[in-house]
Amino acid sequence: MSTRSAAGQLTAFLEFLGLNRNSSAHTVAAYRSDLLQFLEFTAAHLEKKAEAVRPGDLDLGVVRAFMADLYRQGQSRSTVARKLSSMRTFVRYLRREGHIDSDPAALALSPKREQKIPAHLSIDEMTRLLESPDTSGPLGRRDRAILELFYASGLRLSELVGLDVDDVNLSARIVRVAGKGGKERLVPFNSTTQKALKAWYVDRSALRR
């Protein structure tokens, strides 16, 4: 077990990152920030001076208490997960160098990722978007047709980009889509989209000539 302070070991760890792992200055600075915060919390939690904190003091109880304190501060799950990752890397280094006998940070559970609801446009916003192309010219009519099909069909952007003219059945108002895994499906669209596509097809033929 090491008698050197945890702060002293942190300095050696940061040098190890820069020299042995060729980590960027930005990465080293991020580790320094996260781990200094952890060591400052540990000192306050154990009611010790910062220089008196030893690697052996960094046990599972301290790791969990630090994570709980981050949550109380309102830190996001992704921030807590990043700081835990920094602690794990540091503690693994300490164990590999023989400064501690166990790996307490490995036992701490990472917070689950936050499930964020995708942002969506309101009806008014969508209407303004559909009407934004200048349909007095062929390229504007093309853009209008693209937006109308995108909105009416609910296709993924990658599916929309991959469409060919032969995939669109104007009279039946159906588009054939190759999805994930090469599976094909038929997707209907409305008469407004049909009208926009017909207008663009006329322009397309003229431009090709």
Side-chain angles (χ1 to χ4, degrees):
M1 300 291 287
S2 173
T3 58
R4 190 178 181 185
S5 71
Q9 296 295 352
L10 174 58
T11 300
F13 168 69
L14 296 174
E15 291 175 353
F16 165 80
L17 288 180
L19 297 176
N20 296 65
R21 287 195 174 183
N22 294 320
S23 299
S24 68
H26 178 76
T27 298
V28 174
Y31 272 105
R32 179 185 292 109
S33 176
D34 288 344
L35 294 172
L36 281 176
Q37 184 183 3
F38 174 50
L39 294 183
E40 288 170 1
F41 171 84
T42 301
H45 183 72
L46 299 178
E47 298 181 347
K48 289 185 173 184
K49 293 183 178 180
E51 60 271 18
V53 175
R54 297 288 180 264
D57 292 325
L58 310 180
D59 58 20
L60 181 59
V62 169
V63 172
R64 286 176 172 169
F66 178 59
M67 292 175 66
D69 186 63
L70 292 174
Y71 284 125
R72 281 193 295 271
Q73 294 175 28
Q75 298 288 340
S76 67
R77 293 180 184 179
S78 59
T79 297
V80 176
R82 191 200 72 233
K83 292 180 184 294
L84 177 59
S85 177
S86 297
M87 288 187 286
R88 283 174 172 167
T89 305
F90 180 44
V91 169
R92 280 198 300 268
Y93 165 82
L94 293 175
R95 186 178 183 185
R96 187 173 62 250
E97 295 298 311
H99 303 305
I100 55 176
D101 296 327
S102 61
D103 190 350
L107 301 177
L109 296 177
S110 294
K112 294 182 179 179
R113 287 187 176 182
E114 297 165 313
Q115 299 295 323
K116 295 184 178 179
I117 299 175
H120 64 279
L121 298 178
S122 67
I123 294 176
D124 289 340
E125 289 171 333
M126 193 66 227
T127 300
R128 287 197 296 272
L129 177 62
L130 291 173
E131 295 178 349
S132 60
D134 180 5
T135 55
S136 62
L139 295 184
R141 289 191 287 271
R142 177 204 62 187
D143 294 345
R144 178 65 175 268
I146 291 172
L147 290 173
E148 287 283 1
L149 181 59
F150 198 19
Y151 175 60
S153 64
L155 298 180
R156 298 183 182 91
L157 181 58
S158 59
E159 294 173 338
L160 181 71
V161 172
L163 288 180
D164 197 358
V165 174
D166 294 336
D167 295 323
V168 180
N169 186 329
L170 272 181
S171 59
R173 298 209 306 258
I174 288 177
V175 60
R176 183 177 67 246
V177 182
K180 292 182 178 179
K183 294 182 179 180
E184 288 192 350
R185 69 183 193 279
L186 298 178
V187 180
F189 53 83
N190 57 27
S191 57
T192 304
T193 302
Q194 181 188 44
K195 181 180 178 181
L197 286 170
K198 281 183 177 179
W200 162 239
Y201 280 4
V202 174
D203 292 324
R204 181 176 181 272
S205 298
L207 289 173
R208 285 170 64 87
R209 287 196 300 268

